[in-house]
Amino acid sequence: MHLIIVSSDLKYYEHIHPEQKGSAFVITTKFPEDGAYHLYTDFQPIGAIEQQFGFTLPVGNEESV
């Protein structure tokens, strides 16, 4: 599994390989500042095709997002 994190202003980028713990995947990261971040996952379940999902995550004070 890959997790890509990109800030809305494109100044921050991180490529993480989450660690599987049981039925969950876990990461530790620190966002450099408040704002909106776009997260993209890329993975391939056993016996299935590769899949991608994306979503936006507001971080910190909602007024700055």
Side-chain angles (χ1 to χ4, degrees), residues 12-57:
Y12 176 78
Y13 167 88
E14 190 169 7
H15 177 168
I16 301 171
H17 294 171
E19 180 182 343
Q20 187 171 7
K21 292 190 176 183
S23 62
F25 287 87
V26 178
I27 67 164
T28 300
T29 193
K30 181 174 175 146
F31 295 95
E33 57 188 37
D34 291 354
Y37 290 83
H38 305 287
L39 284 68
Y40 304 93
T41 61
D42 175 53
F43 59 95
Q44 184 169 1
I46 295 172
I49 62 171
E50 184 177 338
Q51 300 177 38
Q52 296 87 29
F53 293 96
F55 57 95
T56 300
L57 176 68

